[in-house]
Amino acid sequence: MGLLRRGSSGGGAVLVVVVCVGCIAATAMAAAAGGGGGGGECPKYKDSKQPLNKRIDDLLRRMTLAEKIGQMSQIERENATFDVMRNYFIGSVLSGGGSVPAAQASPAAWVSMVNEMQCGAMATRLGIPMIYGIDAVHGHGNVYKATIFPHNVGLGCTRDPDLAKRIGAAVAAEVRATGIPYVFAPCVAVCRDPRWGRCYESFSEDPRVVQRMSSIISGFQGEIPPGGRRGVPFVSGGRPSVAACSKHYVGDGGTTRGMNENNTVATLRELMTVHMPPYYSAVAQGVSTVMVSFSSWNGVKMHANHFLITDFLKSKLRFRGFVISDWQGLDRITTPAHADYMLSIKLGIMAGIDMVMIPFTYTEFIDDLAALVKNGTIPMSRIDDAVRRILRVKFTMGLFERPYADLSLAGELGKQEHRDLARDAVRKSLVLLKNGKPGDAPLLPLPKRARSILVAGAHADDLGSQCGGWTITWQGLAGNDLTAGGTTILDGIRRAVDAATEVVFAEAPDAGFMRRNAGRFDAAVVVVGEPPYAETLGDNLNLTIPAPGPSVIQNVCGGGVRCVVVVVSGRPLVIEPYMDAIDALVAAWLPGTEGQGVSDVLFGDYEFTGKLARTWFRSVEQLPMNVGDEHYDPLFPFGFGLETRKAN
């Protein structure tokens, strides 16, 4: 049950903090039970004026083994009751993809839920606040009415680090609107094979582009101040900021045949020059956390790789934040998963993982880790290092001073300013691959004043498909009932054209339809692409345009009307067989909720400026094929992109 507590924010604004009814009393009882230092003395760890390391040292020396292991435990939202948080000293909670307090939950419902869990954490003897994390890979995707930005595959085509930074700041504000201070983003994978189902989470096949676009970290967390120590986590207190998480460390984008969670075969030099550079940039920006990849490097599971986690990331790069596992990442060290959980825990913790995304079997994890410490298999020094890193992030974020969320930022969710930013990102991410057949005038930009324009293809009027995976649910969902707000590409076209221009939508026109309407249309816009997907379910060895997309292209573009084909997808697809029939071709990637950004450029209000951040192959038999390869014969090379001028 919730209670509204009102108070001044110090700047004249009134904060509305949602707390649980029994929280104040429970916290007071916990402090009286021995967490406060006795005799009315304020412990150093509770004194914000004390140096950071003194606060950490003071708290760490007070903690029992059970309290330390609790800090290392991250559990799923559905398990995180008040009693579980308090009794097991849980240090972190997460929402998996699609895990929400209720369908179409409001910011107030999210804040109430997070604060209820925080009440349990604050009611423990030492009152260590928990940190709540959530995936926000292209906006606050789990949350109804949130602004959904283009996926990274599109943002990479903008080559605009400042845009990425502004997107990070907008996402941080929307996440904070729901009371959440930690995001599992950005993905800084360097996707080297588009058959991988997570390729759309990658900015580029080129590590230099990924490094530049990792500026989104400074958007999430705020700019690290001049002279800030390299590797030390930084989260600004000056605006709504969240702790960021660079993932998935390391080599997740280089697996054989693009298979998710598979093996990356590479020399140390290849790993360091292709997949590691984004982490140099992340650490330099003060990223708070790093998530380990499910994948392996030359047969060694990353979750058990002491050399790369401890020797390189923590020691060589001097990363001082905490390392977190992926979802059931320790379980998957063995095959089958969870076959020898105690061994998995030993390997993962000794490799250098600090916080474990359990997320369900938390009592087993806690008991097994305690047993491994008590029998000397895992030294207390390793536990202390993990907890020290977790506490450093929590202190840096200001969680000890401001553990509870409030409703003052509720208006940030889906606000128009963020939607305008997302629309601009869509415009800049579009890549024009063809504009007119040989000998013909360019088709784009299309005229706003025309007799009639045909719009075809199911993706033209499908908000869910243009958002893709990690939207409301883990895998995403097709259709227009997914979330509120936003515009489909068809909506945008209808708004863009002159009032006298007829817009005809036919989802899958056949050849007969085109014969009957010969001469009716001045131009056609065909929008085809992939259904939503995420992770392993998105792995695809053929990369063809799903039906009925090919027949729609053939019927419309071969039906006597000049056509522009817009491809909505998380990666390049096989398109060469249709190129002779197509007049103009646009890669729209996964643009998110603001589909009007597509029509803005199609009709010339803005110019095409995007450049491919991935190689567009001719056939899957060429894969993997990346810029710089010895045998490089793409349909469209890395960096390609035609440009247009604004319409008069």
Side-chain angles (χ1 to χ4, degrees), residues 481-534:
D481 298 326
L482 195 66
T483 189
T487 55
T488 67
I489 294 171
L490 176 62
D491 291 333
I493 291 172
R494 286 172 169 159
R495 297 180 189 188
V497 299
D498 186 84
T501 299
E502 178 189 39
V503 175
V504 176
F505 176 56
E507 185 172 309
D510 58 19
F513 174 88
M514 295 305 299
R515 284 194 301 272
R516 290 191 300 273
N517 290 277
R520 175 181 176 184
F521 304 115
D522 295 314
V525 180
V526 179
V527 190
V528 297
E530 296 183 293
Y533 57 82

Side-chain angles (χ1 to χ4, degrees), residues 69-124:
I69 291 174
Q71 286 301 300
M72 297 171 67
S73 304
Q74 186 179 71
I75 67 174
E76 221 287 330
R77 174 199 63 80
E78 64 185 62
N79 298 319
T81 64
F82 178 95
D83 288 341
V84 167
M85 298 299 296
R86 179 184 59 186
N87 296 340
Y88 292 94
F89 314 105
I90 298 298
S92 185
V93 180
L94 84 152
S95 278
S99 180
V100 298
Q104 302 183 6
S106 66
W110 280 95
V111 167
S112 178
M113 178 194 71
V114 173
N115 281 348
E116 178 76 20
M117 297 168 187
Q118 193 69 281
C119 285
M122 297 303 291
T124 57

Side-chain angles (χ1 to χ4, degrees), residues 431-462:
V431 181
L432 180 59
L433 299 173
K434 182 179 181 180
N435 193 15
K437 295 177 181 178
D440 289 350
L443 177 58
L444 299 177
L446 293 170
K448 293 183 177 181
R449 184 182 292 273
R451 288 177 305 157
S452 183
I453 293 176
L454 172 65
V455 180
H459 283 66
D461 191 30
D462 191 330

Side-chain angles (χ1 to χ4, degrees), residues 278-592:
Y279 291 94
Y280 304 152
S281 299
V283 171
Q285 291 179 78
V287 72
S288 296
T289 72
V290 171
M291 184 183 293
V292 179
S293 176
F294 285 128
S295 60
S296 303
W297 175 47
N298 294 335
V300 178
K301 290 280 191 178
M302 273 305 309
H303 276 75
N305 197 312
H306 183 276
F307 167 69
L308 287 173
I309 297 174
T310 296
D311 295 344
F312 194 83
L313 178 63
K314 291 184 173 182
S315 299
K316 181 76 171 178
L317 298 188
R318 300 186 61 79
F319 172 64
R320 293 293 180 264
F322 68 79
V323 175
I324 185 170
S325 81
D326 207 332
W327 178 278
Q328 296 179 334
L330 295 195
D331 306 58
R332 302 188 201 189
I333 289 175
T334 60
T335 304
H338 207 83
D340 188 339
Y341 195 45
M342 190 166 283
L343 173 63
S344 293
I345 293 171
K346 180 187 81 169
L347 292 173
I349 300 302
M350 291 304 292
I353 291 172
D354 304 311
M355 182 180 284
V356 176
M357 191 182 293
I358 301 171
F360 299 115
T361 58
Y362 58 93
T363 57
E364 182 182 7
F365 170 77
I366 289 169
D367 291 345
D368 285 359
L369 180 52
L372 288 166
V373 175
K374 289 173 181 176
N375 69 21
T377 301
I378 296 178
M380 184 62 77
S381 59
R382 172 74 272 271
I383 301 299
D384 286 347
D385 172 64
V387 177
R388 178 178 295 276
R389 290 168 176 276
I390 294 165
L391 295 178
R392 181 179 291 123
V393 171
K394 290 185 176 183
F395 278 121
T396 299
M397 295 174 65
L399 275 178
F400 281 80
E401 287 69 50
R402 301 176 299 279
Y404 295 107
D406 62 71
L407 297 178
S408 64
L409 296 173
E412 296 289 328
L413 187 73
K415 70 186 292 188
Q416 190 59 48
E417 179 182 338
H418 298 163
R419 295 193 180 278
D420 292 342
L421 177 62
R423 183 172 170 181
D424 188 46
V426 174
R427 298 171 190 136
K428 293 178 177 177
S429 69
L430 302 176
V431 181
L432 180 59
L433 299 173
K434 182 179 181 180
N435 193 15
K437 295 177 181 178
D440 289 350
L443 177 58
L444 299 177
L446 293 170
K448 293 183 177 181
R449 184 182 292 273
R451 288 177 305 157
S452 183
I453 293 176
L454 172 65
V455 180
H459 283 66
D461 191 30
D462 191 330
L463 197 63
S465 289
Q466 71 187 42
C467 288
W470 296 106
T471 310
I472 302 299
T473 69
W474 173 38
Q475 293 292 318
L477 291 168
N480 292 328
D481 298 326
L482 195 66
T483 189
T487 55
T488 67
I489 294 171
L490 176 62
D491 291 333
I493 291 172
R494 286 172 169 159
R495 297 180 189 188
V497 299
D498 186 84
T501 299
E502 178 189 39
V503 175
V504 176
F505 176 56
E507 185 172 309
D510 58 19
F513 174 88
M514 295 305 299
R515 284 194 301 272
R516 290 191 300 273
N517 290 277
R520 175 181 176 184
F521 304 115
D522 295 314
V525 180
V526 179
V527 190
V528 297
E530 296 183 293
Y533 57 82
E535 299 194 55
T536 304
L537 295 179
D539 289 352
N540 187 330
L541 296 179
N542 61 61
L543 295 182
T544 55
I545 298 173
S551 64
V552 174
I553 294 173
Q554 291 167 335
N555 290 337
V556 175
C557 297
V561 59
R562 297 188 77 191
C563 71
V564 52
V565 172
V566 179
V567 181
V568 175
S569 66
R571 51 202 162 188
L573 300 174
V574 176
I575 195 73
E576 189 174 35
Y578 318 108
M579 288 302 296
D580 288 344
I582 293 171
D583 292 278
L585 177 64
V586 176
W589 313 111
L590 297 171

Side-chain angles (χ1 to χ4, degrees), residues 138-140 145-149 174 414-415 418-419 422 593-594:
H138 65 144
H140 200 6
K145 294 185 178 180
T147 306
I148 304 301
F149 291 85
E174 297 209 10
K415 70 186 292 188
H418 298 163
R419 295 193 180 278
T593 51
E594 308 313 304

